[in-house]
Amino acid sequence: CNTRIDWKETSEAHVFKANLSRLKKEQVKVGVEEGKVLHISGERNKEQEEKNDKWHRVERSSCKFLRKFRLQENLKVDQVKTAMENGVFTVTVQKEEVKKCEIKSIEI
């Protein structure tokens, strides 16, 4: 199963989007490994065959996918948000606020 995922960066977050119209949100798993690597995986199983069923065509096969993305250091990996809308699965990882360094002048 070849699942393509878009990854964009905004000023507040990193956003990952995948077209998963044939999967339910419950069939998709998201995790973060060692605070650095985002995992997005999913699985769709074939329909159960009943003993009396007569299949004429089976084109919707079972499918598994796993994608990994190396994250930047300044992300809130403990606050990952997911959503599924109109077949598009979205993962949002918020950025940490970057503290501005104060520059002190030193008299010589």
Side-chain angles (χ1 to χ4, degrees), residues 6-17:
D6 297 336
W7 176 4
K8 76 174 178 179
E9 181 178 355
T10 68
S11 58
E12 295 89 31
H14 284 262
V15 181
F16 302 83
K17 291 188 176 199

Side-chain angles (χ1 to χ4, degrees), residues 8-81:
K8 76 174 178 179
E9 181 178 355
T10 68
S11 58
E12 295 89 31
H14 284 262
V15 181
F16 302 83
K17 291 188 176 199
N19 291 338
L20 301 178
S21 60
R22 296 186 285 179
L23 293 176
K24 297 176 187 168
K25 186 176 178 182
E26 300 81 41
Q27 294 173 300
V28 183
K29 303 229 181 309
V30 176
V32 179
E33 176 185 327
E34 297 178 6
K36 298 179 203 171
V37 180
L38 177 72
H39 292 244
I40 303 173
S41 63
E43 181 175 3
R44 181 184 68 248
N45 297 317
K46 285 195 314 187
E47 284 193 39
Q48 295 291 345
E49 293 184 26
E50 299 295 327
K51 195 171 195 174
N52 296 326
D53 289 345
K54 180 179 178 183
W55 289 84
H56 293 276
R57 185 176 296 219
V58 177
E59 293 181 345
R60 298 180 310 131
S61 60
S62 61
C63 173
K64 284 185 181 183
F65 74 90
L66 169 63
R67 298 291 308 273
K68 296 181 181 185
F69 301 91
R70 184 163 300 283
L71 300 174
Q72 296 177 349
E73 297 293 324
N74 64 338
L75 301 179
K76 297 179 182 179
V77 294
D78 57 337
Q79 298 177 20
V80 175
K81 294 179 183 173

